[in-house]
Amino acid sequence: MKTRLLLSLLATSLGVTWLHAADEEDDQYSPELGIYASAKNSVKFGFRMVNGAKVHFGNLGIVPLANPIAPASAGEVDRKYSDGVVLKDAARTNQGFPSSVTPTAGQSLKSTILSSNGRYQTYVTTNTGGVLTTAQTGDFLTYQAGQTRTWRYDQASQLLADNSGIIMNAFSATSEGASFDGLKKVSGGVEFQLERVLGKLGRKWEVSIVGGLALNSILNKQAGNVQSTLNKISDTFLLTTNAAAPAAGSLQPTFDTLTFPDVITVVAGGLETTAPLSTVPIASSHVETASLGGANVAGLWEIKGAYYTMKIGPEIRGNLTKNFGFSASIGVAGAYAGTNYSAVESFTAPGVADPLTTNETSAKNKFMPGYYANLDATWQANERTGFFAGVSYEKFDTYDQSVGGRTAKIDLASTAGIRGGISIK
């Protein structure tokens, strides 16, 4: 943004300076030449339409693990798989309440009693006018090191045959070198040019020095499907009690209504029915596999940005009639490009309901030297104002950009197009 502002201010300043100088010179019709005599300074504003950048997208089809899977040696940590999650557990706040309380008048206090069967009960004791009443509010599982009450698996096929544990799987895709060529698209832009007449060659020819700035967009995208290597990591976690495994898709912990012997008194959500799971997978169960061509990855790859063209060189202009002429210019140029590379890729893994997706972007700026050539037809409407239309050609280099292991070769070479606008002497 700062670069664009600086270049715009520079172009405006130069334009004002040159136009002021032009006001100090005489522009008049020359009967002996049959043409309008040119002022030494002129400025051109116009549009340009060029065939934009060509892009070669490479090494496509990369969908990394959404979350790295820690090995069993890492102990009790969060592990998030493509078809489930096993989170590290900790003692709850209510498990730490004191075992007995004595509230003051008008006060209610919470307490907890730990059972020998791996559970704990919560109570509320209230002092009403010196009379203490205690009511049970819950019956929950205690925290046990090495197991967790917060976990989920998505597919019934993940349950071991003997119902003793759950297999969790994490999927990713790596590229097998797939590529696409994004076709060039027309890029619209604007152009600003300054000219200074150096001298004449004969009666109707003159030589000038020109310099200019132009701005064009870069937009090139490609969508499609590629085959990639399917990677799979599998870990097994054991159910730690004789309780039946919960239904696939249900997030633990789970709770039911706590019903008291009188069948009248109930506490909604007061009875925990969670089936605890080991927090750490069985080390020997860890399996990693790779299947060539096993992932069909759908993707959208896009290069988007803009580039400034700066040019300077000699120009020769011929006046064929009073109003009509042509000009040709060739010289050195430079292109300053700024682009964003975005990649959205996804694939459906076996036994996973939702597609696994990645969305990655990167940014890059690059300056490239080159050269240009212009050929214009001109029409001089009066002493100061004219119009031009013609063709342009620019030659620059290529540059590389990458995002998440994918590559893109951005080619601004051999950019040709049309231009036109107004000229003010």
Side-chain angles (χ1 to χ4, degrees):
M1 187 67 183
K2 292 182 179 178
T3 302
R4 292 185 180 181
L5 179 59
L6 179 60
L7 290 172
S8 299
L9 291 175
L10 177 61
T12 303
S13 176
L14 288 173
V16 171
T17 301
W18 281 47
L19 286 174
H20 177 72
D23 286 339
E24 297 177 353
E25 302 198 25
D26 293 328
D27 296 327
Q28 59 185 358
Y29 175 64
S30 176
E32 65 274 13
L33 296 181
I35 60 172
Y36 286 109
S38 298
K40 288 187 177 297
N41 302 311
S42 63
V43 59
K44 289 182 176 179
F45 300 94
F47 72 93
R48 47 190 254 142
M49 303 290 289
V50 299
N51 55 342
K54 181 179 179 181
V55 178
H56 176 77
F57 297 98
N59 206 41
L60 306 178
I62 300 175
V63 182
L65 287 172
N67 301 280
I69 304 300
S73 58
E76 295 187 78
V77 296
D78 291 347
R79 293 179 175 86
K80 298 179 181 180
Y81 297 83
S82 302
D83 54 12
V85 61
V86 180
L87 302 181
K88 181 181 178 180
D89 203 355
R92 298 172 183 149
T93 301
N94 56 12
Q95 187 176 330
F97 290 153
S99 58
S100 62
V101 294
T102 304
T104 59
Q107 184 182 36
S108 296
L109 296 176
K110 299 175 182 179
S111 60
T112 296
I113 296 178
L114 297 176
S115 302
S116 59
N117 61 351
R119 303 184 70 87
Y120 67 96
Q121 293 75 43
T122 57
Y123 302 86
V124 172
T125 300
T126 303
N127 186 331
T128 305
V131 179
L132 299 180
T133 56
T134 299
Q136 185 176 356
T137 57
D139 188 340
F140 307 104
L141 286 173
T142 58
Y143 162 69
Q144 301 288 336
Q147 61 183 244
T148 180
R149 296 162 294 181
T150 307
W151 62 281
R152 187 199 79 245
Y153 75 107
D154 295 338
Q155 304 293 330
S157 58
Q158 295 174 242
L159 186 63
L160 295 180
D162 59 0
N163 295 329
S164 63
I166 307 292
I167 299 175
M168 300 287 187
N169 305 289
F171 296 93
S172 64
T174 52
S175 177
E176 296 180 8
S179 64
F180 277 114
D181 283 320
L183 299 178
K184 284 190 173 187
K185 295 183 178 180
V186 174
S187 170
V190 294
E191 187 169 10
F192 172 80
Q193 182 173 301
L194 300 174
E195 298 182 5
R196 172 74 175 181
V197 177
L198 299 179
K200 292 186 177 294
L201 297 175
R203 292 171 55 84
K204 296 187 178 184
W205 297 85
E206 60 186 20
V207 177
S208 304
I209 182 74
V210 300
L213 297 173
L215 173 65
N216 277 86
S217 62
I218 297 176
L219 178 60
N220 200 303
K221 60 183 177 180
Q222 182 68 52
N225 290 69
V226 298
Q227 296 303 123
S228 297
T229 297
L230 175 66
N231 305 296
K232 178 181 177 182
I233 297 175
S234 298
D235 288 323
T236 300
F237 295 81
L238 295 179
L239 290 162
T240 59
T241 67
N242 293 326
S250 63
L251 177 65
Q252 301 293 291
T254 54
F255 302 89
D256 203 347
T257 300
L258 176 62
T259 303
F260 293 90
D262 61 10
V263 189
I264 298 175
T265 306
V266 297
V267 178
L271 178 65
E272 184 168 5
T273 57
T274 302
L277 189 74
S278 62
T279 312
V280 180
I282 302 172
S284 60
S285 72
H286 184 83
V287 177
E288 296 186 23
T289 60
S291 302
L292 291 175
N296 182 26
V297 179
L300 174 62
W301 307 277
E302 182 178 64
I303 292 289
K304 186 177 183 180
Y307 69 98
Y308 283 101
T309 301
M310 297 153 277
K311 60 185 180 181
I312 186 169
E315 179 184 77
I316 184 169
R317 184 169 64 225
N319 298 297
L320 302 181
T321 68
K322 171 185 172 181
N323 301 96
F324 179 72
F326 71 91
S327 64
S329 175
I330 187 170
V332 296
Y336 183 78
T339 48
N340 290 323
Y341 184 3
S342 64
V344 180
E345 296 184 320
S346 65
F347 74 98
T348 301
V352 179
D354 297 324
L356 306 179
T357 302
T358 184
N359 188 342
E360 300 178 89
T361 60
S362 72
K364 186 169 184 176
N365 297 319
K366 180 71 174 181
F367 178 80
M368 295 161 289
Y371 60 88
Y372 80 96
N374 292 333
L375 178 63
D376 298 325
T378 62
W379 177 263
Q380 195 67 31
N382 55 45
E383 290 89 344
R384 287 188 176 274
T385 306
F387 301 92
F388 69 94
V391 294
S392 65
Y393 175 83
E394 294 168 352
K395 175 72 173 180
F396 299 108
D397 204 349
T398 64
Y399 68 96
D400 296 320
Q401 189 170 351
S402 63
V403 59
R406 306 167 197 85
T407 62
K409 182 176 289 292
I410 302 160
D411 185 0
L412 287 172
S414 302
T415 300
I418 61 174
R419 61 197 293 261
I422 186 170
S423 173
I424 302 174
K425 295 183 179 181

